[in-house]
Amino acid sequence: MSTDTSPLARAAAEFPRHEPRPPGAPTALQGIRVVDFTHFIAGPLATMILADMGADVIKVEPPARGDDARRYPPMHRPRTRGPLCLEQPQQDAASRWT
């Protein structure tokens, strides 16, 4: 039986084991109230993180319309498509307009 002596395996063996926070233990932002007027990706994400850290978040949305993010499709790619490539194929200027 061989042992893995790679640097990653050694670091993982030395890393302390994660101990979950006990139920009912105080959170970092417990007692903080955040009023969220944001409406697009970065703002709601930030307030979600604040809520995860224990803040009481009040989300304010436009009446009858709600948050615009509810009208967008889910932000994930099917696994069958392979890696995402954002590079455009190079073309000469003449072939772009034909």
Side-chain angles (χ1 to χ4, degrees), residues 46-87:
T47 52
M48 181 185 72
I49 293 169
L50 294 174
D52 289 345
M53 295 177 69
D56 180 24
V57 176
I58 300 169
K59 174 89 168 122
V60 179
E61 300 177 354
R65 194 176 93 197
D67 194 342
D68 293 331
R70 291 194 183 101
R71 290 188 281 281
Y72 292 106
M75 299 190 124
H76 71 279
R77 294 182 297 119
R79 293 186 182 268
T80 57
R81 287 200 169 171
L84 177 65
C85 179
L86 300 176
E87 292 181 13

Side-chain angles (χ1 to χ4, degrees), residues 3-91:
T3 59
D4 189 357
T5 58
S6 69
L8 183 59
R10 285 193 306 270
E14 294 170 4
F15 202 79
R17 189 173 191 287
H18 170 70
E19 295 295 329
R21 192 172 60 83
T27 57
L29 299 178
Q30 185 173 346
I32 303 292
R33 179 164 292 151
V34 176
V35 180
D36 177 14
F37 292 96
T38 63
H39 60 92
F40 202 66
I41 299 168
L45 175 64
T47 52
M48 181 185 72
I49 293 169
L50 294 174
D52 289 345
M53 295 177 69
D56 180 24
V57 176
I58 300 169
K59 174 89 168 122
V60 179
E61 300 177 354
R65 194 176 93 197
D67 194 342
D68 293 331
R70 291 194 183 101
R71 290 188 281 281
Y72 292 106
M75 299 190 124
H76 71 279
R77 294 182 297 119
R79 293 186 182 268
T80 57
R81 287 200 169 171
L84 177 65
C85 179
L86 300 176
E87 292 181 13
Q88 295 291 327
Q90 296 296 319
Q91 300 176 356

